[in-house]
Amino acid sequence: MVHLTTVPNDDVAQAPLVEGLENIKFEQPQEDEVTASVYGSRFASEGLPGHSLPDGEMPRDVAYRMIKDHLTLDGNPVLNLASFVTTYMEEEAEKLMAEALPKNFIDYEEYPQTADIQNKCVNMIARLYNAPTDANEDNAMGTSTVGSSEAIMLATLAMKRRWQNKRKAAGKDISKPNIVMNSAVQVCWEKAARYFEIEEKYVYCTESRYVIDPAEAVGMIDENTIGICTILGSTYTGQYEDTKAVNDLLIKKGIDCPIHVDAASGGFVAPFVVPEMEWDFRLEKVVSINVSGHKYGLVYPGVGWVVWRSPEFLPKELVFNINYLGADQASFTLNFSKGASQVLGQYYQFIRLGRSGYRSIMLNLTRTADYLAACLKQMGFVIMSEGGGKGLPLVAFRLNPEKNHHFDEFAVAHQLRERGWVVPAYTMAPNAGKLKLLRVVVREDFSRSRCDSLVQDIKQAVETLAKMKDGTAEQYME
C-alpha cells in the first residue's frame, strides 16, 4: 500500500469484485421499496463510488453513515503503537480546533490573531531550545509547518542556499553539495536530499551502534558539505545522538560546518526529562532545529516547527513577500494554504500544560516505557532502546537469538495484530547485521493499565507461536 495512487483504466475500474459476477443479474430496489432510513435507502444496496464522481446527490446522514461504516475496518489509533503521532487531546482543545476549521492560516490579514498565536508558539519553542535572546544578539526566527518533513525540507534548503552563496562569493563550484547524516534517518531526509539534488553521505550503523559516530561524521566533511544532521530520538531505537560531541569536534578542528538537529520526536521530551543535556542552541554550531508538534508536542496531526538561530542562517532570497491577500506578508513554506486548527491546538497545549504539565506527562511516559522494558526483559526479550530518560519513551526489542525460536519478530507482530495491537516489526538500518526489531511507542494515552494488557498479549503471542509446529509460523516471518 502506497500514498501515491494509481488511477485504474476503465476495464479495471468497471470489472466486478469477483470474477464471473458480471453474468449474474441482481434485482434493483424499486422506488416504493426505498425508505428514509439509511439502510433502507438504495445507497445501502450499492457500492461506494470509487472511480467517477456520482451523477446524483446523497442525503447527508446516509453519506456520513456510509463513510463511517467503510472506516470501521481501520485500526484503532489508540492501539497503534507504531506511530509517534498524538491520539488524545482534551475536549476543549478539540472544540477550539473544530471551530477554526474554516480558517486558512496563511491569510494573516484576515486572521491576525491566529497569526499572532503562531508567533507566540515560535517564541516559546525558541526559548525552550535556548535560542540567543540577548539584546546584542540577532533575533532567532521560526515558522510553523505541516510537520517535520516540511520543516526539514526548509532547513535543508536554507543550509544549501547559504553554502551556495558562500561558494559563489569565493568563485568556487556549487554543483556538488552534500550532507552528512546517520543511515538511520527518517525517510524525509532522503527525500530532501533527492529532491534538492544533494549527495547523501551516510555514517552507517553497525551491529552494536545505531546512532551517528561523531568522529566519523566530522571526518566526512569536505568543502561541499552544507551541514550535518543529528537526531534527537532515532526512529529505530529512540536513542539521542551526541550533538554536543559533534559540535565540540567541529570547534576543536576549526571546521565551519553548521549542525541541524532533527528533534521531530525528542524536541518535546528531552527539555523536560533531561534538561541538563546540551543538544540545542546552547551549542554554537547548531543553527536550526525542527520539531513535530503532532508527536510529543501533544497535538493531532499535522503541525511541525522549525527555528533558526538567527537570520544569518535563513537566506533572504528564500523568503517570498506577497500582498495579494490584502497586506504585505513574508512566506517561507513549501505549501501555501493550510488550516489553522493545529497551530491553535499547539498553543492550547502550551498554555494549558506549561512546563510543569509537559514535565509530568513526559516523566510518566518514561516510567511506563521503563516498566514495559523491564517486563519484556524478564520474558526473555533483548532490549535495544535506552531507558531512564536517555532516549525517547519507547521500547525497541527483539527475540533472544540464543533461544533459537522457530519464529521471528514479524510473526510476533502478526499475532499481536489479531488482538488489535499494531506493533511494528522492522529491520535495522543498513550495515547493522540485518537485525529484526519490534517497537512500542509510549504515547500520552498509553497508561500503565493498557501497558499491562499489552504485556499479557505479547506473552500469549509468544506462547501461541511456540506451540505451532515447525513451518506453520514461517508464513508470518520476514
Side-chain angles (χ1 to χ4, degrees):
M1 185 176 292
V2 296
H3 296 297
L4 194 62
T5 301
T6 300
V7 179
N9 296 330
D10 289 343
D11 57 339
V12 176
Q14 295 168 8
L17 186 63
V18 179
E19 187 176 352
L21 207 62
E22 69 274 13
N23 300 321
I24 303 175
K25 292 186 177 180
F26 295 94
E27 183 179 353
Q28 299 299 314
Q30 304 298 315
E31 283 296 324
D32 58 354
E33 295 175 352
V34 177
T35 69
S37 69
V38 171
Y39 298 109
S41 70
R42 65 179 177 85
F43 302 103
S45 65
E46 299 173 351
L48 277 175
H51 300 294
S52 300
L53 194 67
D55 294 326
E57 300 178 27
M58 183 184 291
R60 61 185 181 183
D61 57 329
V62 176
Y64 171 80
R65 176 52 61 178
M66 292 294 102
I67 297 173
K68 185 176 176 66
D69 288 353
H70 187 68
L71 295 174
T72 54
L73 290 178
D74 269 352
N76 183 343
V78 171
L79 302 182
N80 179 9
L81 305 182
S83 177
F84 289 88
V85 173
T86 296
T87 52
Y88 165 79
M89 292 184 75
E90 293 172 335
E91 290 183 9
E92 291 79 6
E94 292 178 342
K95 181 181 179 183
L96 187 69
M97 294 169 73
E99 290 169 352
L101 284 174
K103 289 186 178 180
N104 184 6
F105 175 78
I106 201 66
D107 194 346
Y108 305 143
E109 172 70 9
E110 186 68 22
Y111 309 117
Q113 299 308 110
T114 301
D116 181 60
I117 283 179
Q118 177 202 242
N119 297 340
K120 293 178 188 296
C121 289
V122 169
N123 291 339
M124 293 178 184
I125 293 169
R127 281 177 168 79
L128 182 65
Y129 298 161
N130 296 288
T133 55
D134 293 338
N136 60 342
E137 298 279 359
D138 288 333
N139 297 89
M141 303 180 71
T143 187
S144 65
T145 62
V146 293
S148 272
S149 291
E150 184 188 6
I152 285 167
M153 297 280 182
L154 297 177
T156 303
L157 272 175
M159 285 191 292
K160 180 183 178 183
R161 184 55 60 91
R162 182 170 177 267
W163 170 83
Q164 287 176 324
N165 290 345
K166 290 176 67 176
R167 299 279 291 179
K168 285 179 182 178
K172 296 181 180 179
D173 178 61
I174 62 169
S175 65
K176 298 179 180 179
N178 67 63
I179 187 168
V180 177
M181 53 190 171
N182 183 4
S183 62
V185 291
Q186 213 266 359
V187 70
C188 61
W189 280 101
E190 299 175 57
K191 290 181 180 179
R194 192 173 303 176
Y195 293 168
F196 303 141
E197 298 182 318
I198 302 168
E199 178 192 356
E200 303 143 88
K201 299 183 76 171
Y202 289 123
V203 177
Y204 286 99
C205 298
T206 67
E207 293 186 17
S208 59
R209 174 182 54 75
Y210 315 121
V211 292
I212 201 167
D213 178 87
E216 187 178 344
V218 172
M220 287 183 167
I221 296 172
D222 59 30
E223 63 178 0
N224 293 315
T225 302
I226 68 171
I228 294 180
C229 161
T230 61
I231 309 170
L232 190 71
S234 165
T235 300
Y236 289 87
T237 61
Q239 293 170 282
Y240 297 146
E241 296 191 329
D242 195 345
T243 303
K244 187 177 188 304
V246 176
N247 176 85
D248 292 350
L249 276 173
L250 291 173
I251 294 172
K252 181 179 179 180
K253 293 175 179 279
I255 299 174
D256 181 18
C257 180
I259 299 173
H260 174 88
V261 181
D262 180 359
S265 300
F268 286 118
V269 179
F272 304 108
V273 178
V274 282
E276 70 281 0
M277 185 174 71
E278 294 183 28
W279 61 272
D280 52 19
F281 292 120
R282 285 171 287 184
L283 305 176
E284 67 175 84
K285 293 296 184 180
V286 173
V287 303
S288 52
I289 300 171
N290 70 275
V291 65
S292 293
H294 58 231
K295 292 181 180 177
Y296 289 109
L298 308 181
V299 182
Y300 291 142
V303 62
W305 304 90
V306 59
V307 180
W308 287 270
R309 174 184 288 273
S310 75
E312 173 190 352
F313 303 103
L314 178 54
K316 292 181 180 180
E317 62 267 30
L318 293 178
V319 180
F320 291 85
N321 294 290
I322 62 171
N323 63 7
Y324 47 74
L325 289 179
D328 292 329
Q329 60 188 62
S331 174
F332 183 38
T333 59
L334 292 183
N335 67 320
F336 194 64
S337 294
K338 68 176 180 180
S341 298
Q342 271 62 30
V343 171
L344 299 183
Q346 185 73 83
Y347 187 62
Y348 173 90
Q349 295 290 46
F350 282 172
I351 66 172
R352 165 74 175 90
L353 297 173
R355 287 178 179 262
S356 63
Y358 270 95
R359 185 180 301 111
S360 297
I361 291 171
M362 298 310 155
L363 287 174
N364 263 352
L365 299 186
T366 301
R367 295 186 192 103
T368 301
D370 289 348
Y371 169 76
L372 175 59
C375 291
L376 293 172
K377 187 175 182 179
Q378 287 298 112
M379 291 165 58
F381 286 98
V382 177
I383 306 302
M384 308 293 288
S385 49
E386 294 193 61
K390 295 179 181 178
L392 297 176
L394 63 77
V395 182
F397 58 104
R398 64 188 178 101
L399 294 166
N400 191 334
E402 296 179 359
K403 295 190 176 182
N404 296 316
H405 295 287
H406 63 271
F407 54 89
D408 68 0
E409 290 77 3
F410 287 85
V412 176
H414 184 273
Q415 283 294 120
L416 291 173
R417 190 65 182 258
E418 293 185 359
R419 286 283 292 162
W421 299 104
V422 180
V423 176
Y426 54 95
T427 52
M428 183 54 78
N431 290 26
K434 297 183 178 179
L435 289 174
K436 298 177 183 179
L437 301 178
L438 292 154
R439 187 193 68 209
V440 172
V441 176
V442 178
R443 297 191 305 270
E444 182 183 8
D445 55 352
F446 189 73
S447 63
R448 173 71 174 269
S449 175
R450 187 168 292 156
C451 181
D452 285 337
S453 297
L454 174 65
V455 169
Q456 185 61 40
D457 284 341
I458 292 175
K459 184 178 180 181
Q460 184 176 334
V462 172
E463 291 173 351
T464 300
L465 289 167
K467 293 176 183 177
M468 290 183 179
K469 295 180 180 180
D470 288 349
T472 305
E474 290 182 1
Q475 61 182 312
Y476 308 125
M477 295 170 62
E478 176 72 9

